[in-house]
Amino acid sequence: MTKIVQVCSGTEELEHALAEIVIRVFEEWRIGNGTDADQLFYIALSGGSLPVVLARLADQTYRSRIEWNRCRFYFADERCVPLDHEDSNYKACWDAFLSKIDVAEENVIGIDSEKEPHECAKLYAERMKHIPLKNGFPSFDLILLGMGPDGHTASLFPGHALLGEESVFVAAIDDSPKPPPCRVTLTLPVINSSSSVVFVTGGSGKADVVAKILEEGNTDFPAGMVNPSSGNLVWLLDEGSAEKLQKNDCALN
Ligand code: 6PG
């Protein structure tokens, strides 16, 4: 695994850095996959603050650099609310970003979040059947994650039994400490089978956990368990979330 930590000064720099990283990951994928239109770039998005940061990628200067018709979007997690509810990750991603790029709606694979959570987790796993497998798990080309101040990521929370899930691709949770309590999430083996994972993390409330994960190598936090064994891991931080790092920044090269 290659790990890169990049510290940005301010939200705007974070947005531009994320746009450049997504473009770079896409370009590297395209070099490996040629012009075969049947090959798709599989990307998973998160909720929280990520959709708004990602919106920069929809700017004209960036969006023309990705072939959106070759991208298929999934969600790393979803809250069990209707897709047009203001807590919906689908809605947040659609409103901030997906509606502004040239992506066909059939290439945005939402979670059927109005169904019973276990049922919708099962259905979502079935909707991943075209994604190539790595070690028996779907291997996304890119997963974009956020992290909470408690070290959770997607809907994987500290100390939760779901962290030990080793068989299913998608799991339901009905006791999320972050509201709403019912959610559906990719499991760790899927996240760790991804070719690239990018954490986008802002705010000094996350600085302690960031330092524990990145400098002490703490793997108690769900975000610290993300370790795509044969992929790339990028931590994109703002100055607040990086303020307890001693070594600071390793620049992207
Ligand atoms: C969710 C998210 C969740 C989020 C983190 C960070 O649906 O709640 O997917 O994992 O990414 O809580 O959220 P912020 O970026 O808003 O801090």
Side-chain angles (χ1 to χ4, degrees):
M1 179 189 71
T2 311
K3 182 158 86 183
I4 292 166
V5 179
Q6 184 177 359
V7 181
C8 302
S9 57
T11 309
E12 207 173 320
E13 199 176 307
L14 195 74
E15 293 169 5
H16 288 284
L18 178 61
E20 290 289 0
I21 289 170
V22 175
I23 289 167
R24 183 185 315 175
V25 173
F26 179 79
E27 284 172 350
E28 282 168 6
W29 170 86
R30 195 176 44 189
I31 289 166
N33 288 272
T35 52
D36 181 352
D38 290 341
Q39 298 289 330
L40 292 174
F41 181 77
Y42 294 100
I43 172 168
L45 308 178
S46 295
S49 55
L50 180 88
V52 171
V53 179
L54 187 61
R56 180 67 62 185
L57 181 59
D59 284 1
Q60 182 57 37
T61 39
Y62 292 124
R63 73 167 183 257
S64 56
R65 294 167 61 191
I66 292 188
E67 292 162 87
W68 298 110
N69 60 351
R70 299 189 70 190
C71 298
R72 181 163 289 166
F73 291 90
Y74 285 79
F75 292 84
D77 71 330
E78 182 58 282
R79 295 101 179 260
C80 294
V81 293
L83 292 180
D84 59 357
H85 189 282
E86 60 176 36
D87 283 342
S88 159
N89 287 345
Y90 179 96
K91 177 173 166 49
C93 290
W94 183 265
D95 290 352
F97 169 64
L98 294 166
S99 60
K100 298 175 183 157
I101 57 169
D102 194 15
V103 62
E105 272 196 63
E106 69 256 27
N107 276 333
V108 181
I109 314 298
I111 297 177
D112 293 319
S113 47
E114 285 181 78
K115 293 199 160 67
E116 189 281 318
H118 293 88
E119 173 67 7
C120 89
K122 199 168 147 227
L123 285 171
Y124 205 53
E126 282 164 18
R127 300 183 84 183
M128 291 180 185
K129 65 178 177 224
H130 298 297
I131 304 179
L133 299 178
K134 193 188 280 176
N135 304 321
F137 290 93
S139 175
F140 283 88
D141 297 295
L142 174 61
I143 299 184
L144 301 180
L145 295 172
M147 183 188 75
D150 60 353
H152 81 260
T153 191
S155 289
L156 298 166
F157 291 89
H160 199 280
L162 270 190
L163 297 173
E165 178 56 60
E166 286 178 348
S167 53
V168 303
F169 302 166
V170 187
I173 164 169
D174 59 11
D175 55 358
S176 162
K178 180 180 179 183
C182 284
R183 291 156 170 262
V184 170
T185 183
L186 297 185
T187 56
L188 272 173
V190 174
I191 295 174
N192 285 334
S193 299
S194 180
S195 298
S196 291
V197 175
V198 179
F199 277 101
V200 183
T201 307
S204 54
K206 299 174 184 173
D208 280 327
V209 177
V210 164
K212 282 184 180 144
I213 292 174
L214 294 181
E215 289 193 338
E216 296 171 21
N218 188 309
T219 54
D220 293 337
F221 299 104
M225 296 176 187
V226 173
N227 173 17
S229 43
S230 50
N232 303 308
L233 176 62
V234 178
W235 279 82
L236 196 53
L237 309 171
D238 71 352
E239 282 169 330
S241 61
E243 71 190 13
K244 302 237 165 121
L245 290 180
Q246 303 297 318
K247 297 179 226 151
N248 225 318
D249 204 335
C250 325
L252 276 173
N253 44 40

